[in-house]
Amino acid sequence: KIVVLDGYTLNPGDISWEELEKMGQLTVYDRTKPEEVLERIKTADVVYTNKTPLTKEVLEVCRSIKFIGVLATGYNIVDVEAAKTLGIKVANIPSYGTAAVAQFAIALLLELCHHVGEHSDCVKRGDWSSSKDWCFWNHPLTELAGKTMGVIGFGRIGQETARIAQALGMKILAYDAYQRTELETETCRYAELDELLVRSDVITLHCPLFPSTKGIINKETIAKMKDGVLIINDSRGPLIVEEDLRDALNSGKVGGAAVDVVSTEPIRMDNPLLEAKNVIITPHIAWAPRESRQRLMNIAADNLKCFLEG
Ligand code: NAD
């Protein structure tokens, strides 16, 4: 018995659930509210979740669950320690969306540098340009070649983002808990966090959400950054203390920020970033091109197959 708690993110009708259907009796719910989780999975053998949390309290009651598939790379929504104690295997999907998420980080960066959407809106409003009020005075453009990108978390997505940034002429400083010196080149080297903060023109976050990374962008770390630094986050919202980023954006210390993820999703209307200047916020969609979603589905089925085959 296979239950998918929140298939809506995967299934606007353009990808197939066929591989999972072959392996059991499949029920796909569009979304599941926290109070509905228990009822829906209490007799399931296999549970898939994308964003619906699976807590210790729920897992302790649902004793038939043998396998949890997280339909995502970040697996912080599942209490993995509790699952381990209960003998439930948990599998995430690490590499389905590396290209998509890196591409999105670069898209966010380019939008901060070029404001394509704003300029297009100006034109559509009939405002092509005029000598006293060129729209680029309000939305100045920034060149990236020769500038330095600091990449916090130099894993799959961090490395791919750095590869594209180097093609734009940027130099890379990488910070990671584990260093692989073979990844260093003439234009890319590891640095301590403090050096990265001080020297980067752009800082992009690609580390997982762990206790050690929660709030890594805060008042103190922002104070060390260059004035006008640009910050990108398409990893996890709680990596940033949003009140501190709001203050730094509004004071101009941070020149712009673009985030695909926020501390509480869906975003709350009292999220501090909604009061910030020069911020772009997208609704956690970096992973979602059709190609990535189909890859995600195929790997999810492969993971279950491996589990069933021992
Ligand atoms: P990865 O495991 O390949 O890379 C993560 C890197 O972070 C690793 O190199 C690891 O050593 C490093 N790291 C771990 N702890 C650290 C610490 N304390 N300080 C610095 N670095 C540390 O993962 P990935 O595939 O590159 O994905 C990165 C993150 O991207 C995921 O954890 C997830 O949160 C996020 N993500 C977001 C989306 C989206 O749609 N926005 C989609 C997929 C993944």
Side-chain angles (χ1 to χ4, degrees):
K1 190 167 172 187
I2 306 170
V3 175
V4 180
L5 287 173
D6 45 8
Y8 77 99
T9 50
L10 276 174
N11 197 17
D14 56 354
I15 60 165
S16 157
W17 295 86
E18 198 184 320
E19 289 304 312
L20 279 183
E21 268 162 351
K22 284 185 199 156
M23 279 183 278
Q25 178 200 330
L26 178 69
T27 307
V28 181
Y29 294 102
D30 220 33
R31 295 160 202 264
T32 300
K33 294 185 190 137
E35 62 272 21
E36 294 169 334
V37 173
L38 196 54
E39 187 55 34
R40 290 185 172 180
I41 66 173
K42 68 178 181 216
T43 58
D45 302 295
V46 173
V47 178
Y48 280 98
T49 175
N50 172 251
K51 294 193 170 68
T52 308
L54 291 173
T55 61
K56 181 170 185 243
E57 291 68 34
V58 166
L59 296 180
E60 276 175 349
V61 182
C62 301
R63 300 316 305 271
S64 58
I65 300 176
K66 296 158 193 74
F67 179 89
I68 296 171
V70 183
L71 296 167
T73 302
Y75 49 87
N76 47 294
I77 48 157
V78 177
D79 189 330
V80 176
E81 279 312 308
K84 210 188 268 179
T85 310
L86 294 162
I88 302 170
K89 297 277 185 231
V90 181
N92 68 329
I93 302 182
S95 53
Y96 74 94
T98 301
V101 182
Q103 181 181 315
F104 202 83
I106 296 291
L108 291 174
L109 173 58
L110 293 178
E111 187 59 22
L112 283 179
C113 291
H114 299 292
H115 312 282
V116 172
E118 308 259 14
H119 290 295
S120 173
D121 286 348
C122 282
V123 171
K124 289 179 184 171
R125 282 198 304 268
D127 180 13
W128 180 264
S129 65
S130 70
S131 52
K132 67 175 174 44
D133 190 24
W134 269 57
C135 49
F136 68 64
W137 300 142
N138 297 328
H139 306 297
L141 309 187
T142 306
E143 206 170 78
L144 289 169
K147 296 221 165 65
T148 297
M149 171 184 273
V151 182
I152 298 183
F154 203 54
R156 297 176 190 85
I157 297 169
Q159 287 168 41
E160 179 61 9
T161 304
R163 189 185 68 75
I164 306 170
Q166 286 171 93
L168 295 170
M170 299 191 79
K171 290 172 282 190
I172 307 297
L173 291 177
Y175 170 72
D176 200 288
Y178 307 96
Q179 300 198 354
R180 289 168 50 200
T181 46
E182 71 273 17
L183 296 176
E184 292 186 314
T185 63
E186 213 173 293
T187 53
C188 173
R189 68 174 172 83
Y190 283 105
E192 290 306 317
L193 183 60
D194 269 0
E195 187 195 354
L196 180 153
L197 296 171
V198 169
R199 296 174 69 107
S200 298
D201 303 289
V202 173
I203 294 179
T204 184
L205 300 175
H206 299 291
C207 55
L209 176 62
F210 289 150
S212 57
T213 56
K214 188 169 182 213
I216 195 166
I217 301 300
N218 59 48
K219 214 177 348 192
E220 283 77 32
T221 50
I222 290 171
K224 294 177 185 170
M225 295 175 193
K226 284 188 182 179
D227 291 346
V229 63
L230 302 178
I231 297 178
I232 311 293
N233 183 15
D234 71 0
S235 190
R236 284 294 179 264
L239 297 174
I240 294 179
V241 178
E242 289 167 335
E243 290 79 2
D244 294 354
L245 180 58
R246 171 200 58 200
D247 294 346
L249 282 161
N250 287 344
S251 73
K253 167 72 187 173
V254 172
V259 300
D260 184 47
V261 286
V262 290
S263 54
T264 305
E265 297 176 7
I267 195 166
R268 290 167 47 128
M269 291 323 286
D270 60 356
N271 185 298
L273 291 178
L274 293 173
E275 302 163 358
K277 287 196 295 193
N278 301 324
V279 69
I280 294 168
I281 308 173
T282 52
H284 204 147
I285 51 169
W287 64 286
R290 188 192 56 75
E291 295 85 347
S292 303
R293 283 182 285 113
Q294 185 61 65
R295 209 174 293 122
L296 181 87
M297 184 61 86
N298 296 345
I299 300 172
D302 280 350
N303 283 349
L304 181 55
K305 219 176 283 169
C306 289
F307 171 72
L308 294 174
E309 287 168 3

